[in-house]
Amino acid sequence: MKRFSIRILTQIFIGFIVLNSCSAQTDNTLVLVASTPIGKELQTALGVTSTDEYDFMNWVLNLNQNNQQFTLDLNYGESMPNTTGFINGGKKAQIAGTYIANIGQIGNLSGKIYELKDNKTGNKFAFLQIDEHIFHLLSAKRTLMVGNSGYSYTLNNNNLNTTDSTSPSLTMAKLADHNKAIQISFAGRTPCEEIATDNKLTVSEGCFKIKWSIVLNRDPQTLKPSTFTMRRINRGPDTLIGNWQVLKGITAQPKALVYQLKSTNTKETYNLLMGDDNVLFVLDQHFRLYPGNKLHSYTLNVKE
């Protein structure tokens, strides 16, 4: 009787393990969230209707890594003032299709490229995996899509705990040879809590975003980095001034370029990973990429 009970319990235990294993295998979905601009190129690729009044779109993208199927839920429209939503709830659309993912090269960047195809229209769009946390949409010319001062084209991993990645695999980049500008400006809105905590910033209660505007100056003769001005808005505007430099060989990828900004008036230091001439990704003090959320990403876009 005792032997029979042990045998039964053993079979139950093994069955429990198998069931849980199967469950883990079937629940292999990567969920990416974002709020992006609703630019003409993206509007065409996604097959959504838009007007000049429409400001941005919310993404919830589910990638089933078992069968390489995806579903994308979109909510887009004109932003409602003083809220994170849309006037009259905005418009909604759902796209379903298939995708492939392969390692590739995008300009000076290397990483996994996801290419998605809409089952109904055949329309395609793609994005590049920057690390475990963040992914960035690509233009038809296979460059990083450039956002605006309000929203970027970065998608954020909704499943990943920030402690899951202690040494992200950063990409590489270099300043283009044709870039002779002596002044370059970037802007964007980032989440608030993580970067405020890391830099001991005093922010408003319930802070969920910070607005950034950065001007990088280069020496007119040598084009080497010189000074910068950073305008930051949360409770109210404040301005940082200081010097910046380009660092190499300090991340997991030795060819990655990091713009390091050191403020002389507040003694703060900020590190920005160069995606290309037009897009920068904010790093923490350990040179790790900050994970964004469904509203904002830690991405800055060049200002024309």
Side-chain angles (χ1 to χ4, degrees), residues 16-253:
F16 178 78
I17 292 176
V18 170
L19 285 172
N20 277 272
S21 175
C22 292
S23 176
Q25 290 176 2
T26 56
D27 188 22
N28 190 18
T29 302
L30 176 63
V31 182
L32 304 181
V33 296
S35 293
T36 73
I38 188 168
K40 293 296 183 182
E41 182 175 339
L42 193 58
Q43 175 187 334
T44 301
L46 299 178
V48 299
T49 57
S50 177
T51 71
D52 291 339
E53 287 75 29
Y54 287 180
D55 300 300
F56 70 103
M57 58 171 58
N58 294 141
W59 294 57
V60 179
L61 175 60
N62 290 270
L63 300 166
N64 188 317
Q65 298 178 93
N66 291 326
N67 57 20
Q68 293 189 299
Q69 304 281 327
F70 79 87
T71 58
L72 170 60
D73 290 293
L74 296 169
N75 189 191
Y76 60 99
E78 185 176 358
S79 61
M80 181 178 293
N82 301 316
T83 73
T84 59
F86 303 96
I87 292 177
N88 298 323
K91 289 190 173 184
K92 295 184 179 181
Q94 186 177 76
I95 299 171
T98 59
Y99 75 91
I100 58 174
N102 294 300
I103 299 297
Q105 190 83 12
I106 298 297
N108 298 310
L109 301 176
S110 59
K112 184 179 289 187
I113 300 171
Y114 289 77
E115 299 191 55
L116 291 77
K117 181 178 180 180
D118 185 334
N119 281 340
K120 289 185 178 179
T121 65
N123 291 344
K124 298 179 180 179
F125 62 99
F127 53 84
L128 172 70
Q129 180 172 353
I130 305 299
D131 80 338
E132 298 95 318
H133 295 103
I134 67 173
F135 304 70
H136 197 90
L137 287 159
L138 300 174
S139 70
K141 295 180 179 180
R142 282 300 193 264
T143 59
L144 299 180
M145 294 190 74
V146 184
N148 52 42
S149 59
Y151 299 96
S152 72
Y153 286 104
T154 299
L155 308 176
N156 304 285
N157 189 339
N158 194 49
N159 296 342
L160 188 65
N161 187 299
T162 55
T163 61
D164 288 347
S165 177
T166 56
S167 181
S169 176
L170 302 180
T171 55
M172 61 182 182
K174 66 178 182 179
L175 197 62
D177 294 334
H178 66 267
N179 193 329
K180 307 297 183 182
I182 61 173
Q183 190 174 81
I184 313 170
S185 299
F186 292 89
R189 298 179 187 178
T190 72
C192 176
E193 184 177 351
E194 295 89 348
I195 199 166
T197 300
D198 287 351
N199 293 279
K200 299 180 174 57
L201 305 180
T202 302
V203 295
S204 60
E205 185 177 355
C207 171
F208 67 92
K209 75 173 184 292
I210 298 178
K211 300 178 183 179
W212 306 83
S213 179
I214 301 173
V215 177
L216 302 176
N217 299 305
R218 297 200 288 176
D219 183 276
Q221 302 300 322
T222 66
L223 296 180
K224 290 183 178 181
S226 57
T227 61
F228 78 88
T229 302
M230 177 189 293
R231 185 173 173 84
R232 181 176 59 202
I233 301 177
N234 175 244
R235 293 191 310 174
D238 66 307
T239 301
L240 289 70
I241 57 173
N243 302 291
W244 68 287
Q245 61 181 324
V246 179
L247 304 180
K248 299 179 182 179
I250 59 172
T251 69
Q253 286 288 345

